[in-house]
């Protein structure tokens, strides 16, 4: 997709494309910030791609395109190129370090070869040594060769130590980059990409071990009303608050993720429906009992409640099918009056319904 964009903005049609993008952003009431513009360029270039479909969904649902939303979309759909840059830079440093070590090893190898020849020459010369002066010269030559080998060994050891430290630093840096690419910028929970990968792995592991795994989908009730009444910054405050509760409960091996907008998801490996329902109700009660205030004015925001639906996976069920059942359970919570937790129907009943 990036190659298509880079080609499009360097051709004669680039100005027309940019005008269309800006006009469409204005129609959608989206500010033409650099990040928003980048997202819209990708949207125009591949409207049926993952990013394009997500933007269409947001526009259709009349969800506000806030900075937090833009950051979330960028974190989920645009990190690959940035991550590739980080990997490419790290690869260049690693290549340089490996070349340095290779040169040091080659130099040490040459020195040791020379030392071997020196020893061989010394062995043959000892038979012909005549008097103390000749022996002294021979010993002096061996001492000099030995000191040279010691210097090369010390140099090699130092280079290996430096390279080991540099490789360790690179590994830690790339691990941080990987974590950043899998983290939602607003809530610090796992993002949608991380959620999809974790859920897929949990399903594969459950099939191997036969252990249960549950999935919950959590939604903030009447979230649009918070945004419309108090503004998007306050809405972000509410998102961060709910995320903080979920994140605290999602101790390893559980995973809490921002699924999209005001929706969150939680993966419960090794736990059965009864345990998950108890956990979700505890989360729901904690969220609903705290009185939030608007930071800028200290005004009371009123009650914040959440609805949740969850499903326990059956052996062999795909991640998408499990997610669909959890979503249906969430909708049941919404239809039932919100601020409640609903278990999913078994797969066969869900199909029949």
């Amino acid at each position: 997709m990036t190659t298509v964009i880079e080609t499009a903005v360097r051709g004669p049609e680039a100005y027309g494309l940019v005008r269309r993008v800006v006009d469409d952003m204005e129609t959608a009431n989206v500010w033409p910030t650099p990040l928003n513009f980048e997202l819209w360029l990708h949207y125009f270039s591949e409207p049926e791609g993952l990013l394009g479909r997500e933007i269409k969904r947001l526009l259709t649902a009349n969800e506000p395109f806030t900075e937090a939303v833009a950051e979330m979309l960028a974190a989920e759909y645009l990190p690959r190129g940035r991550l590739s840059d980080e990997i490419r830079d790290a690869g260049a440093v690693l290549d340089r370090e490996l070349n340095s070590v290779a040169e040091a090893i080659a130099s040490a190898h040459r020195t040791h070869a020379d030392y071997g020849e020196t020893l061989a020459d010394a062995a043959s010369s000892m038979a012909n040594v005549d008097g103390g002066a000749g022996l002294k010269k021979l010993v002096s030559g061996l001492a000099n060769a030995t000191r040279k080998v010691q210097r090369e060994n010390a140099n090699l050891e130092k280079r290996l130590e430096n390279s080991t430290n540099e490789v360790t630093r690179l590994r830690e840096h790339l691990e941080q980059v990987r974590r950043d690419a899998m983290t939602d910028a607003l809530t610090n929970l796992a993002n949608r990409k991380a959620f999809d990968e974790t859920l897929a792995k949990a399903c594969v592991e459950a099939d191997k071990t036969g252990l249960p795994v549950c999935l919950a989908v959590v939604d903030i009730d009447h979230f649009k009303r918070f945004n419309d009444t108090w503004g998007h910054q306050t809405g972000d405050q509410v998102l961060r608050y709910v995320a903080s509760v979920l994140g605290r409960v999602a101790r390893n091996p559980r995973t809490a993720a921002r699924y999209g907008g005001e929706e969150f998801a939680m993966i419960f490996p090794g736990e059965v429906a009864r345990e998950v329902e108890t956990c979700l109700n505890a989360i729901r009660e904690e969220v609903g009992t705290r009185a939030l205030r608007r930071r800028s004015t200290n005004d009371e925001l009123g009650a914040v409640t959440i609805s949740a639906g969850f499903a326990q996976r059956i052996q062999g069920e795909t991640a998408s099918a499990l997610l669909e059942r959890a979503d249906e359970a969430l909708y049941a919570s919404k239809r039932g009056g919100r601020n409640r937790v609903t278990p999913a129907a078994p797969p066969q009943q869900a199909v029949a319904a």
Side-chain angles (χ1 to χ4, degrees), residues 82-268:
R82 298 169 190 155
L83 184 58
S84 296
D85 290 340
E86 296 278 359
I87 293 173
R88 185 167 55 250
D89 293 343
V93 175
L94 183 59
D95 186 60
R96 186 167 64 247
E97 290 299 322
L98 292 176
N99 285 335
S100 174
V101 171
E103 290 173 3
I105 291 175
S107 176
H109 179 74
R110 288 192 297 271
T111 300
H112 280 79
D114 292 342
Y115 186 55
E117 292 179 6
T118 301
L119 291 177
D121 291 343
S124 61
S125 299
M126 287 182 68
N128 302 318
V129 170
D130 184 18
L135 183 61
K136 183 177 181 181
K137 181 179 179 182
L138 181 62
V139 171
S140 175
L142 288 174
N144 289 335
T146 300
R147 283 193 293 270
K148 184 177 181 181
V149 169
Q150 289 173 337
R151 285 196 300 271
E152 286 292 340
N153 285 341
N155 180 54
L156 176 59
E157 183 177 344
K158 185 63 176 177
R159 287 196 183 187
L160 287 174
E161 180 184 356
N162 291 340
S163 294
T164 299
N165 292 337
E166 182 64 17
V167 170
T168 299
R169 187 192 67 79
L170 287 173
R171 183 184 295 115
E172 292 172 350
H173 175 65
L174 288 175
E175 177 60 23
Q176 182 60 50
V177 170
R178 188 195 68 81
R179 286 195 297 268
D180 290 345
M182 305 290 272
T183 301
D184 176 63
L186 178 66
T187 65
N188 285 326
L189 297 180
N191 61 19
R192 177 65 181 273
K193 177 179 175 59
F195 164 77
D196 288 340
E197 291 186 3
T198 304
L199 181 59
K201 290 178 182 178
C203 291
V204 171
E205 188 65 21
D207 281 335
K208 289 180 181 179
T209 62
L211 294 175
V213 60
C214 287
L215 171 66
V217 181
V218 179
D219 185 82
I220 300 175
D221 296 329
H222 304 296
F223 181 72
K224 188 175 184 299
R225 190 167 63 193
F226 280 103
N227 276 332
D228 293 344
T229 304
W230 302 105
H232 302 312
Q233 288 186 340
T234 301
D236 290 347
Q237 179 185 340
V238 172
L239 285 171
R240 283 191 290 266
Y241 164 61
V242 173
S244 70
V245 177
L246 295 176
R248 189 170 63 253
V249 174
R251 63 186 181 277
N252 190 50
R254 295 172 178 172
T255 298
R258 187 180 180 192
Y259 184 63
E262 69 273 20
E263 278 194 352
F264 301 88
M266 291 187 69
I267 303 169
F268 298 84

Side-chain angles (χ1 to χ4, degrees), residues 309-312 322 324-329 342-347 350:
F310 70 95
Q312 180 173 332
L322 178 63
E324 185 176 349
R325 288 202 295 126
D327 269 332
E328 285 295 328
T342 303

Side-chain angles (χ1 to χ4, degrees), residues 13-26:
E13 301 83 14
Y15 295 103
L17 171 63
V18 170
R19 292 189 189 98
R20 292 196 303 275
V21 169
V22 172
D23 288 343
D24 195 75
M25 293 174 70
E26 183 176 8

